[in-house]
């Protein structure tokens, strides 16, 4: 019987962790969302309204308008590779191959690329083209009628595996698939903990799948199903089987990706938290204009000695941004003298800069 090991990211694996997963846990993979289009329409599809089955392109949280956006986003997180996902990227094969070539040409042959596909549109020629373009690893999420396409991929230089959610109560069906993958000589099977999202919750509940208490989004019984398969695979198969809990995505993978980006994009007045968020102070002058903000900025420099590099006027939101400790020290004074509104904000260091919290002082 093989040993079940806990990985650095607290997932569980029998066998050798796929390279794509190693880099993903480090947060070193750009998430390249090639299209939201997908021929499968799984009832558990977790894609958000904004992306689900729409032909949109994102590099991490940045909506891609031109190819250069992808390179810029990869640089801003110091990426060591990319996970090419969707939807099904192979609904748009020319676009996908163009991106594979672009990333390999820009960042070199060691920039690791893995791709997820339902396999529905896969042909032998397309698999050869993907491999020749530089794709390192392909992960299938197929319906039964597309299983044989996994065998075609084994004739290329790519690492070949599968990735599916562990649907509660479906251990026996997953074992049949795992045995098939083992028999044909595929490298790995990844089992993801099934997750609730705003778009799949109704379909999951219809099937009597419930949220797991004490978690953000995990489905009850999914982990037990995955562990059942993992233990069985440890005794009966040679193939790598890896269970990725939903907590890993937020606590390890996302956090590490945010930290990598934060280190590059943080301004001198933004402090990086342990979770990879950016904290700063903001000063607003209600009912006043840009010239008033500019005047206040000068006062902060001349009268209060705040270094210029710790001050920035965000003209879109009409606020002065500065360090959190500056607003903490000066809040009383600025409120009394200038009727200012002062607060401390926490933001994601992502392209969309989503604000997580605002604490008024
Ligand atoms: S294959 Fe993936 S993207 Fe397509 S419907 Fe299923 S879960 Fe959604």
């Amino acid at each position: 019987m093989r040993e079940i090991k806990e990985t650095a990211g607290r997932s569980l694996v029998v066998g050798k962790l796929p390279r794509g997963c190693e880099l993903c846990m480090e947060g070193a993979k750009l998430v390249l969302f090639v299209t939201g289009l997908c021929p499968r329409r799984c009832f558990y599809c977790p894609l958000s309204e904004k992306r689900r089955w729409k032909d949109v392109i994102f590099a991490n949280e940045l909506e891609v308008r031109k190819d250069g956006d992808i390179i810029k986003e990869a640089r801003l997180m110091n990426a060591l590779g990319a996970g090419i996902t969707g939807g099904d990227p192979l609904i748009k094969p020319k676009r996908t191959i163009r991106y594979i070539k672009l990333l390999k040409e820009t960042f070199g042959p060691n920039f690791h690329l893995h791709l997820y596909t339902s396999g529905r549109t896969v042909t032998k020629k397309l698999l050869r083209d993907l491999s020749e373009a530089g794709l390192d690893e392909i992960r299938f999420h197929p319906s039964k009628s597309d299983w044989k396409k996994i065998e075609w991929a084994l004739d290329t230089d790519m690492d070949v595996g599968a990735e599916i959610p562990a649907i509660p109560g479906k251990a026996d069906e997953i074992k049949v698939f795992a045995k098939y993958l083992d028999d044909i000589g595929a490298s790995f099977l990844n089992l993801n903990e099934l997750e609730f999202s705003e778009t799949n919750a109704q379909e999951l509940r219809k099937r009597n799948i419930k949220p797991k208490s004490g978690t953000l989004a995990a489905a009850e019984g999914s982990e037990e199903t995955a562990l059942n398969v993992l233990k069985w695979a440890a005794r009966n198969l040679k193939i790598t089987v890896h269970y990725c809990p939903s907590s890993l995505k937020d606590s390890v993978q996302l956090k590490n990706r945010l930290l990598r980006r934060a280190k590059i994009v943080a301004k001198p007045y933004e402090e990086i938290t342990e979770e990879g968020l950016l904290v700063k102070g903001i000063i607003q002058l209600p009912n006043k204009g840009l010239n008033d903000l500019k005047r206040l900025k000068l006062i902060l420099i001349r009268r209060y000695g705040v270094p210029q590099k710790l001050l920035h006027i965000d003209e879109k939101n009409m606020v002065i941004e500065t360090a959190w400790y500056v607003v903490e020290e000066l809040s009383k004074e600025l409120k009394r003298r200038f009727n200012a509104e002062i607060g401390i904000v926490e933001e994601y260091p992502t392209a969309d800069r989503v604000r997580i919290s605002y604490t008024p002082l």
Side-chain angles (χ1 to χ4, degrees), residues 38 40-42 44-47 53 86-87 118 141:
C38 181
R40 265 205 72 179
R41 310 261 159 149
C42 308
Y44 46 77
C45 183
L47 293 181
W53 307 331
S118 72
H141 174 196

PDB file of all heavy atoms in Angstrom, residues 38 40-42 44-47 53 86-87 118 141, ligand 1:
ATOM      1  N   CYS A  38     -18.244  26.954 -22.944  1.00  0.00           N
ATOM      2  CA  CYS A  38     -17.942  25.559 -22.624  1.00  0.00           C
ATOM      3  C   CYS A  38     -19.081  24.683 -23.120  1.00  0.00           C
ATOM      4  O   CYS A  38     -20.242  25.015 -22.923  1.00  0.00           O
ATOM      5  CB  CYS A  38     -17.774  25.388 -21.116  1.00  0.00           C
ATOM      6  SG  CYS A  38     -17.367  23.688 -20.688  1.00  0.00           S
ATOM      7  N   ARG A  40     -19.899  21.735 -22.028  1.00  0.00           N
ATOM      8  CA  ARG A  40     -20.374  20.686 -21.120  1.00  0.00           C
ATOM      9  C   ARG A  40     -21.573  21.066 -20.265  1.00  0.00           C
ATOM     10  O   ARG A  40     -22.437  20.281 -20.007  1.00  0.00           O
ATOM     11  CB  ARG A  40     -19.239  20.229 -20.198  1.00  0.00           C
ATOM     12  CG  ARG A  40     -18.538  19.021 -20.747  1.00  0.00           C
ATOM     13  CD  ARG A  40     -17.868  18.187 -19.684  1.00  0.00           C
ATOM     14  NE  ARG A  40     -18.795  17.449 -18.841  1.00  0.00           N
ATOM     15  CZ  ARG A  40     -18.434  16.660 -17.868  1.00  0.00           C
ATOM     16  NH1 ARG A  40     -17.162  16.520 -17.574  1.00  0.00           N
ATOM     17  NH2 ARG A  40     -19.327  16.019 -17.140  1.00  0.00           N
ATOM     18  N   ARG A  41     -21.598  22.258 -19.756  1.00  0.00           N
ATOM     19  CA  ARG A  41     -22.717  22.712 -18.904  1.00  0.00           C
ATOM     20  C   ARG A  41     -22.944  21.793 -17.702  1.00  0.00           C
ATOM     21  O   ARG A  41     -24.057  21.261 -17.514  1.00  0.00           O
ATOM     22  CB  ARG A  41     -23.999  22.825 -19.718  1.00  0.00           C
ATOM     23  CG  ARG A  41     -23.832  23.606 -21.003  1.00  0.00           C
ATOM     24  CD  ARG A  41     -24.303  25.009 -20.821  1.00  0.00           C
ATOM     25  NE  ARG A  41     -23.741  25.902 -21.812  1.00  0.00           N
ATOM     26  CZ  ARG A  41     -24.357  26.961 -22.277  1.00  0.00           C
ATOM     27  NH1 ARG A  41     -25.540  27.279 -21.833  1.00  0.00           N
ATOM     28  NH2 ARG A  41     -23.771  27.754 -23.118  1.00  0.00           N
ATOM     29  N   CYS A  42     -21.923  21.557 -16.908  1.00  0.00           N
ATOM     30  CA  CYS A  42     -22.053  20.722 -15.708  1.00  0.00           C
ATOM     31  C   CYS A  42     -22.983  21.417 -14.705  1.00  0.00           C
ATOM     32  O   CYS A  42     -22.919  22.637 -14.570  1.00  0.00           O
ATOM     33  CB  CYS A  42     -20.692  20.543 -15.043  1.00  0.00           C
ATOM     34  SG  CYS A  42     -19.419  19.959 -16.171  1.00  0.00           S
ATOM     35  N   TYR A  44     -22.705  21.535 -11.658  1.00  0.00           N
ATOM     36  CA  TYR A  44     -21.946  22.110 -10.543  1.00  0.00           C
ATOM     37  C   TYR A  44     -20.990  23.225 -11.001  1.00  0.00           C
ATOM     38  O   TYR A  44     -20.162  23.692 -10.231  1.00  0.00           O
ATOM     39  CB  TYR A  44     -21.126  21.020  -9.824  1.00  0.00           C
ATOM     40  CG  TYR A  44     -20.394  20.118 -10.790  1.00  0.00           C
ATOM     41  CD1 TYR A  44     -19.227  20.524 -11.422  1.00  0.00           C
ATOM     42  CD2 TYR A  44     -20.893  18.848 -11.088  1.00  0.00           C
ATOM     43  CE1 TYR A  44     -18.576  19.708 -12.317  1.00  0.00           C
ATOM     44  CE2 TYR A  44     -20.250  18.020 -11.992  1.00  0.00           C
ATOM     45  CZ  TYR A  44     -19.100  18.456 -12.595  1.00  0.00           C
ATOM     46  OH  TYR A  44     -18.450  17.649 -13.488  1.00  0.00           O
ATOM     47  N   CYS A  45     -21.117  23.654 -12.266  1.00  0.00           N
ATOM     48  CA  CYS A  45     -20.174  24.659 -12.789  1.00  0.00           C
ATOM     49  C   CYS A  45     -20.159  25.889 -11.869  1.00  0.00           C
ATOM     50  O   CYS A  45     -21.189  26.523 -11.657  1.00  0.00           O
ATOM     51  CB  CYS A  45     -20.574  25.071 -14.205  1.00  0.00           C
ATOM     52  SG  CYS A  45     -19.387  26.231 -14.909  1.00  0.00           S
ATOM     53  N   PRO A  46     -18.997  26.248 -11.312  1.00  0.00           N
ATOM     54  CA  PRO A  46     -18.960  27.324 -10.315  1.00  0.00           C
ATOM     55  C   PRO A  46     -18.701  28.716 -10.890  1.00  0.00           C
ATOM     56  O   PRO A  46     -18.620  29.679 -10.138  1.00  0.00           O
ATOM     57  CB  PRO A  46     -17.761  26.913  -9.425  1.00  0.00           C
ATOM     58  CG  PRO A  46     -16.837  26.228 -10.389  1.00  0.00           C
ATOM     59  CD  PRO A  46     -17.696  25.585 -11.450  1.00  0.00           C
ATOM     60  N   LEU A  47     -18.583  28.833 -12.233  1.00  0.00           N
ATOM     61  CA  LEU A  47     -18.204  30.130 -12.808  1.00  0.00           C
ATOM     62  C   LEU A  47     -19.187  31.236 -12.433  1.00  0.00           C
ATOM     63  O   LEU A  47     -20.400  31.008 -12.383  1.00  0.00           O
ATOM     64  CB  LEU A  47     -18.124  30.033 -14.334  1.00  0.00           C
ATOM     65  CG  LEU A  47     -17.011  29.171 -14.909  1.00  0.00           C
ATOM     66  CD1 LEU A  47     -17.074  29.201 -16.431  1.00  0.00           C
ATOM     67  CD2 LEU A  47     -15.657  29.649 -14.439  1.00  0.00           C
ATOM     68  N   TRP A  53     -20.088  30.908 -19.361  1.00  0.00           N
ATOM     69  CA  TRP A  53     -20.522  30.643 -20.723  1.00  0.00           C
ATOM     70  C   TRP A  53     -20.558  31.911 -21.572  1.00  0.00           C
ATOM     71  O   TRP A  53     -21.350  32.032 -22.511  1.00  0.00           O
ATOM     72  CB  TRP A  53     -21.863  29.883 -20.696  1.00  0.00           C
ATOM     73  CG  TRP A  53     -21.784  28.655 -19.818  1.00  0.00           C
ATOM     74  CD1 TRP A  53     -20.645  27.916 -19.577  1.00  0.00           C
ATOM     75  CD2 TRP A  53     -22.794  28.055 -19.025  1.00  0.00           C
ATOM     76  NE1 TRP A  53     -20.916  26.892 -18.699  1.00  0.00           N
ATOM     77  CE2 TRP A  53     -22.229  26.943 -18.348  1.00  0.00           C
ATOM     78  CE3 TRP A  53     -24.142  28.326 -18.820  1.00  0.00           C
ATOM     79  CZ2 TRP A  53     -22.954  26.125 -17.493  1.00  0.00           C
ATOM     80  CZ3 TRP A  53     -24.868  27.494 -17.974  1.00  0.00           C
ATOM     81  CH2 TRP A  53     -24.275  26.413 -17.314  1.00  0.00           C
ATOM     82  N   GLY A  86     -10.966  28.017 -18.254  1.00  0.00           N
ATOM     83  CA  GLY A  86     -12.188  28.627 -18.770  1.00  0.00           C
ATOM     84  C   GLY A  86     -13.336  28.251 -17.848  1.00  0.00           C
ATOM     85  O   GLY A  86     -13.105  28.028 -16.656  1.00  0.00           O
ATOM     86  N   GLY A  87     -14.519  28.025 -18.351  1.00  0.00           N
ATOM     87  CA  GLY A  87     -14.924  27.542 -19.654  1.00  0.00           C
ATOM     88  C   GLY A  87     -14.006  26.424 -20.149  1.00  0.00           C
ATOM     89  O   GLY A  87     -13.326  25.777 -19.382  1.00  0.00           O
ATOM     90  N   SER A 118     -12.582  20.113 -21.220  1.00  0.00           N
ATOM     91  CA  SER A 118     -13.595  19.056 -21.138  1.00  0.00           C
ATOM     92  C   SER A 118     -13.255  17.945 -22.135  1.00  0.00           C
ATOM     93  O   SER A 118     -13.758  16.835 -22.033  1.00  0.00           O
ATOM     94  CB  SER A 118     -14.972  19.629 -21.474  1.00  0.00           C
ATOM     95  OG  SER A 118     -15.061  19.907 -22.861  1.00  0.00           O
ATOM     96  N   HIS A 141     -11.410  16.984 -18.041  1.00  0.00           N
ATOM     97  CA  HIS A 141     -12.594  16.920 -17.181  1.00  0.00           C
ATOM     98  C   HIS A 141     -13.708  16.445 -18.111  1.00  0.00           C
ATOM     99  O   HIS A 141     -14.580  17.210 -18.511  1.00  0.00           O
ATOM    100  CB  HIS A 141     -12.845  18.336 -16.623  1.00  0.00           C
ATOM    101  CG  HIS A 141     -14.106  18.451 -15.842  1.00  0.00           C
ATOM    102  ND1 HIS A 141     -14.678  19.664 -15.546  1.00  0.00           N
ATOM    103  CD2 HIS A 141     -14.910  17.527 -15.309  1.00  0.00           C
ATOM    104  CE1 HIS A 141     -15.786  19.460 -14.857  1.00  0.00           C
ATOM    105  NE2 HIS A 141     -15.955  18.175 -14.712  1.00  0.00           N
TER     106      HIS A 141
HETATM  107  S1  LIG B   1     -16.447  21.641 -17.841  1.00  0.00           S
HETATM  108 FE1  LIG B   1     -15.893  23.197 -16.310  1.00  0.00          FE
HETATM  109  S2  LIG B   1     -16.375  25.181 -17.261  1.00  0.00           S
HETATM  110 FE2  LIG B   1     -17.420  23.581 -18.433  1.00  0.00          FE
HETATM  111  S3  LIG B   1     -19.469  23.513 -17.549  1.00  0.00           S
HETATM  112 FE3  LIG B   1     -18.233  21.937 -16.544  1.00  0.00          FE
HETATM  113  S4  LIG B   1     -17.426  22.950 -14.699  1.00  0.00           S
HETATM  114 FE4  LIG B   1     -18.169  24.588 -16.085  1.00  0.00          FE
END
